[in-house]
Amino acid sequence: MKKTRVISSRLVLALVAGVLLPVMARAQQVAITFDDLPVHSALPSGETRMQVAASVLQTLKAANMPPVYGFVNGVHLQRQPQLIEVLDAWRAAGNPLGDHSWSHMDLNKNSLEEFESNVLQNQSVLRKAMGKDDWRWLRFPYLSEGDTQEKRAGVRAFLLQQGYRIAGVTMSFEDYAWNEPYARCSAKGDTAAITQLESSYLAAAASSIDYYRGLSKTLYGRDIPYVLLMHIGAFDARMLPRLLELYRSRGFTFITLNQAEKDEFYREDTDLALPPGPDNLEGAMWVRQMQPPARPHAPASLQTICK
């Protein structure tokens, strides 16, 4: 009888492993990141930047999320010093901050020297907020890494000298596009329109999951760990609980930016001694002389709703 129980136990364990291991192997991972702290887009009447940040942080805590990077434009603190409370709250919640340049400068539209100065100007804010913790991740504003090979190589040499890594983006659904329409619709009290915004936001997020997973599978036959670009906007805060649930329903687990960028795909973002290479999945397809499929975009109706 004892021997029979042992065999049965082993059989059960083998069956459980046979079921669970393939599921675990298929699990997708994503690191969520937020840009434009402490200010992004329009606010609904009566809502404050701190209320937006508090809502985001409450959702992250309730969802047991790992530490989430927020990327900072320090110029807003010069204009509104009280907004340091947003950065303080982000840190108090256990989340790190990174560099998004002082004034959200577009490297493609400015000189390399101007961009380097803009990044350096932001460092005092980050040093004060982060202390000894790691803030040397740069998220390029507009994801512009240079419009010439010389500029791309030059900015990489600068970031290497400064000890930075690049916070890449491998998943996005233009979430920023919903924040201004939400402020307009809120001002009009148009609840039906806000419901439309909610539906289209989640639909766009779902489409982006399919799109970027398709690129990754085509390129590598697997899911890379994705880095999702988000913004600290009022509608993002409203939708974040449902967005996290959407990702979980699609089999995603949440990881940190650091964990995601340990994947080989991000090597050129984390080893800036390497020459410039593709900075996203579409770029990786072009390098292989493969045509990416059309990327889904935010609906054009966002431009006119509630106007």
Side-chain angles (χ1 to χ4, degrees):
M1 291 295 293
K2 291 182 180 179
K3 184 175 181 180
T4 301
R5 289 196 188 99
V6 170
I7 293 173
S8 298
S9 299
R10 288 176 179 171
L11 179 59
V12 169
L13 289 173
L15 290 171
V16 169
V19 171
L20 291 182
L21 287 178
V23 173
M24 294 171 64
R26 290 196 302 269
Q28 296 79 246
Q29 297 178 314
V30 62
I32 293 184
T33 60
F34 282 85
D35 279 12
D36 297 356
L37 274 69
V39 171
H40 174 74
S41 195
L43 286 175
S45 178
E47 194 163 350
T48 69
R49 301 294 176 189
M50 188 58 219
Q51 286 173 331
V52 170
S55 175
V56 169
L57 292 170
Q58 182 179 4
T59 297
L60 295 177
K61 181 179 179 180
N64 295 312
M65 295 289 287
V68 171
Y69 264 92
F71 290 93
V72 177
N73 302 122
V75 67
H76 298 293
L77 301 178
Q78 186 179 66
R79 299 166 181 165
Q80 302 176 71
Q82 72 276 14
L83 292 180
I84 191 66
E85 65 180 357
V86 171
L87 305 190
D88 290 342
W90 199 266
R91 292 293 294 130
N95 297 304
L97 298 168
D99 201 334
H100 201 33
S101 84
W102 174 255
S103 63
H104 207 273
M105 180 176 282
D106 188 341
L107 175 56
N108 289 3
K109 297 180 179 179
N110 293 271
S111 71
L112 177 59
E113 293 73 21
E114 288 170 326
F115 184 79
E116 290 176 357
S117 177
N118 206 264
V119 170
L120 292 173
Q121 190 175 1
N122 213 33
Q123 289 184 351
S124 61
V125 172
L126 293 164
R127 284 195 186 97
K128 184 175 181 180
M130 288 289 287
K132 295 181 180 180
D133 292 334
D134 182 19
W135 51 267
R136 293 182 186 270
W137 286 90
L138 179 79
R139 168 67 51 72
F140 282 100
Y142 307 102
L143 305 183
S144 299
E145 298 194 18
D147 54 339
T148 67
Q149 286 300 315
E150 292 77 15
K151 196 180 283 188
R152 291 193 73 192
V155 77
R156 289 176 69 85
F158 163 73
L159 295 175
L160 176 63
Q161 189 271 330
Q162 290 291 318
Y164 278 93
R165 291 165 287 176
I166 296 171
V169 174
T170 45
M171 191 169 281
S172 170
F173 60 97
E174 301 176 356
D175 67 295
Y176 57 84
W178 276 262
N179 287 299
E180 286 195 16
Y182 173 56
R184 295 196 304 265
C185 294
S186 295
K188 292 188 173 184
D190 193 335
T191 56
I194 291 173
T195 298
Q196 292 177 30
L197 292 176
E198 292 171 343
S199 297
S200 63
Y201 184 96
L202 293 175
S207 293
S208 76
I209 290 172
D210 295 336
Y211 175 76
Y212 290 108
R213 289 196 68 203
L215 295 185
S216 185
K217 293 289 186 68
T218 298
L219 283 163
Y220 310 114
R222 67 181 179 96
D223 282 292
I224 65 167
Y226 302 95
V227 178
L228 174 65
L229 169 61
M230 297 285 295
H231 295 78
I232 191 164
F235 197 65
D236 287 304
R238 178 187 180 97
M239 296 301 296
L240 188 57
R242 279 172 278 185
L243 183 69
L244 298 182
E245 180 56 36
L246 170 65
Y247 271 86
R248 284 190 164 129
S249 73
R250 292 296 193 92
F252 279 88
T253 58
F254 299 105
I255 58 175
T256 66
L257 173 65
N258 202 14
Q259 289 171 324
E261 294 215 14
K262 288 179 180 178
D263 189 85
E264 180 64 20
F265 176 84
Y266 300 97
R267 189 171 172 223
E268 287 162 357
D269 285 344
T270 57
D271 184 356
L272 297 181
L274 295 172
D279 54 10
N280 53 44
L281 288 164
E282 292 98 328
M285 291 197 76
W286 286 117
V287 165
R288 293 193 183 191
Q289 299 184 331
M290 302 166 68
Q291 170 112 25
R295 180 166 60 90
H297 289 285
S301 59
L302 295 179
Q303 303 298 319
T304 56
I305 193 170
C306 294
K307 279 191 172 180

